[in-house]
Amino acid sequence: MSIYKKILVAIDYDAEYEHIIEKALSIADSPEDVGLVYITLPSYYVQPYLYGMPDTSYNDVDWTKNAKTKLSEIATKFGIAQDNVHVKSGLIADEIHQIANENHVDLIVIGTHGRSGIKLLLGSTANAVLHGVKQDVLAVRLYEKS
């Protein structure tokens, strides 16, 4: 029996995420205890970097809708309830903290590359999530593909 009753898994579905979800599921008593979260950056963060590219449209509503569809597919694949799928737009760490608090989460699971400097211990996103959070955080090491 796990000491964690509600687990929130923060993933980037454009990167390695299977290992992170599998780790969370191995800790949970049931897939029903696991939730997934994906955070999109608001368009005002991204628009300046798209200047001069052929398609510079970045629509928050469309990106959030696409993210929800993708995350729902991932949840289905791992037996996670659709009610436990969260997609928000904003600052990643802040949104993860808010979702964790609103859903009375006991453990946040997040992947980390941990490449250099402070990132040697944690990736910048994992580090940001760790600071100021009330819940335990499990940073799952992501492996480089050879």
Side-chain angles (χ1 to χ4, degrees):
M1 181 172 206
S2 177
I3 63 170
Y4 298 108
K5 301 301 174 204
K6 286 192 145 195
I7 300 172
L8 182 65
V9 184
I11 65 166
D12 176 357
Y13 57 71
D14 288 323
E16 178 188 343
Y17 61 82
E18 292 91 353
H19 180 63
I20 302 165
I21 296 172
E22 288 167 357
K23 183 71 76 170
L25 289 170
S26 73
I27 296 169
D29 288 332
S30 163
E32 293 174 3
D33 300 335
V34 176
L36 295 179
V37 61
Y38 179 84
I39 310 299
T40 65
L41 286 174
S43 60
Y44 55 84
Y45 281 100
V46 179
Q47 286 292 353
Y49 301 103
L50 299 178
Y51 180 76
M53 295 181 73
D55 181 11
T56 58
S57 63
Y58 182 99
N59 180 307
D60 290 330
V61 174
D62 289 342
W63 273 69
T64 300
K65 182 180 174 186
N66 292 339
K68 186 88 167 172
T69 299
K70 180 68 176 170
L71 209 60
S72 291
E73 291 170 2
I74 294 168
T76 299
K77 176 181 172 182
F78 286 93
I80 297 169
Q82 295 300 317
D83 289 345
N84 294 344
V85 172
H86 310 278
V87 175
K88 287 211 168 182
S89 180
L91 297 175
I92 296 170
D94 293 345
E95 295 298 334
I96 291 171
H97 292 166
Q98 182 177 352
I99 291 168
N101 291 335
E102 289 172 352
N103 291 280
H104 309 287
V105 167
D106 303 308
L107 175 68
I108 299 170
V109 180
I110 189 164
T112 183
H113 290 285
R115 292 193 175 115
S116 63
I118 187 68
K119 296 178 188 175
L120 184 61
L121 298 176
L122 291 174
S124 58
T125 301
N127 189 42
V129 169
L130 181 62
H131 292 287
V133 72
K134 295 186 250 181
Q135 297 82 0
D136 289 347
V137 176
L138 172 62
V140 178
R141 176 84 176 167
L142 298 175
Y143 300 103
E144 298 297 321
K145 294 181 181 176
S146 344

